[in-house]
Amino acid sequence: MPRALFYHLTRSPPEKTLADLIGRALGQGWRVMLRGTNAERLAWFDQTLWLDPEDGFLPHGMEGGAQDARQPVLIGQGPIANAAQALMLIGGAETTVAEAAGLERVWVLFDGADEAAVDAARGLWKRLTDGGIPAQYWSEKTGKWAMEAEKGTPS
């Protein structure tokens, strides 16, 4: 069943949270699409994932290559091209209810210091939950990640 998880970044750097979530997704046997809106920022994430985590390797590639469909983690701005079961959205990237409904997980990471990013995440939360996608809101305000709210998740 699809689920959207919203991560309100206030303490952790996005690359650390991304690496943790990608590692979990790969551990589930899922392919991941990391979608963003800024090509330079995505290229930076690509370089960062080659270096971190220090204790492991997260196999990935940038979209537009001959092997897009085979990438365990595909980084780009376009549609899912690697049969991903999980979608990560950063920098205000979007998804639709129809796309989310076909996935196991959608992660939305947004910068808590950027009011426009917070507003965009709220709008996406409303669209997805109104469309029947269960969602959870995660915050790190206490120093560790904790679920603060959920809507539509079956008990």
Side-chain angles (χ1 to χ4, degrees):
M1 167 179 237
R3 187 177 335 166
L5 286 79
F6 288 72
Y7 280 76
H8 189 162
L9 299 170
T10 56
R11 295 174 182 244
S12 298
E15 63 274 13
K16 167 79 170 99
T17 305
L18 282 171
D20 290 346
L21 294 173
I22 289 170
R24 281 195 229 158
L26 294 175
Q28 291 288 323
W30 297 340
R31 289 178 183 257
V32 177
M33 174 73 188
L34 170 58
R35 182 182 295 154
T37 57
N38 181 306
E40 291 173 3
R41 186 75 168 148
L42 291 173
W44 182 83
F45 281 122
D46 172 47
Q47 291 302 309
T48 301
L49 290 176
W50 283 112
L51 303 173
D52 289 322
E54 290 182 19
D55 60 346
F57 171 69
L58 297 173
H60 68 282
M62 293 291 291
E63 76 180 354
Q67 301 297 318
D68 283 3
R70 298 183 59 183
Q71 293 294 340
V73 178
L74 185 61
I75 301 171
Q77 295 177 297
I80 294 172
N82 64 336
Q85 294 88 7
L87 174 62
M88 298 186 148
L89 302 173
I90 58 171
E94 288 282 332
T95 189
T96 63
V97 170
E99 181 179 56
L103 300 168
E104 293 291 329
R105 203 70 81 240
V106 174
W107 283 285
V108 181
L109 282 69
F110 60 100
D111 181 352
D114 180 344
E115 200 56 42
V118 172
D119 288 343
R122 285 182 182 134
L124 184 56
W125 170 283
K126 180 162 179 32
R127 287 189 301 280
L128 291 177
T129 58
D130 285 354
I133 304 295
Q136 297 177 344
Y137 166 75
W138 290 78
S139 168
E140 59 180 344
K141 67 183 176 189
T142 64
K144 32 188 249 188
W145 287 107
M147 186 178 58
E148 300 285 332
E150 74 181 316
K151 183 174 179 183
T153 303
S155 21

